[in-house]
Amino acid sequence: QLQLVESGGGLVQPGGSLRLSCAASGFTLDYYTIGWFRQAPGKEREGVLCINRSGDTLNYADSVKGRFTISRDNAENTVYLQMNSLKLEDTAVYYCAASVRVSCRNADFASWGQGTQVTVSA
């Protein structure tokens, strides 16, 4: 019953911006900790940002600090990833995932979306 769907990816130039959406269905997003992850071609998946049900956030990747922001709109049952000042190395498939744990530091992400492609190219 729990399902996450990512959207908002696409092709952008370096320095551009995108806002990704993670929409939840089958459950109320308020009760879950949500993380954004990404996987570039030939590389392992890495965490990006996390937000818990209280709105506390945690940065998983130093490379996105100051450029990416995670937020949630409980009324829309959606978590967002605002990406600014995009770089070539940000090119990846971006996934959102849900955990029942209350802290981003101890999150166990069991439910995953299918991902949305972000390509940064001049």
Side-chain angles (χ1 to χ4, degrees):
Q1 292 182 335
L2 193 155
Q3 184 177 359
L4 298 171
V5 179
E6 303 93 338
S7 62
L11 175 64
V12 298
Q13 293 184 331
S17 298
L18 282 175
R19 189 179 74 165
L20 306 183
S21 298
C22 175
S25 63
F27 66 100
T28 301
L29 183 144
D30 311 44
Y31 302 144
Y32 289 83
T33 292
I34 304 295
W36 280 101
F37 300 80
R38 66 184 182 183
Q39 187 168 22
K43 298 182 179 180
E44 294 184 350
R45 183 189 66 200
E46 67 172 344
V48 180
L49 280 164
C50 175
I51 187 168
N52 73 358
R53 70 188 203 183
S54 298
D56 301 320
T57 62
L58 179 66
N59 178 44
Y60 289 140
D62 291 338
S63 61
V64 307
K65 185 177 181 180
R67 300 188 299 118
F68 291 9
T69 303
I70 190 170
S71 63
R72 65 195 306 158
D73 186 340
N74 290 336
E76 297 295 328
N77 218 27
T78 302
V79 169
Y80 301 98
L81 182 66
Q82 179 66 47
M83 305 185 295
N84 299 324
S85 302
L86 284 163
K87 304 176 180 179
L88 296 178
E89 55 263 38
D90 294 319
T91 295
V93 177
Y94 284 72
Y95 302 89
C96 63
S99 170
V100 298
R101 297 185 181 179
V102 299
S103 174
C104 289
R105 295 188 179 277
N106 196 34
D108 182 13
F109 295 101
S111 300
W112 294 78
Q114 293 185 339
T116 184
Q117 176 71 49
V118 173
T119 302
V120 184
S121 179

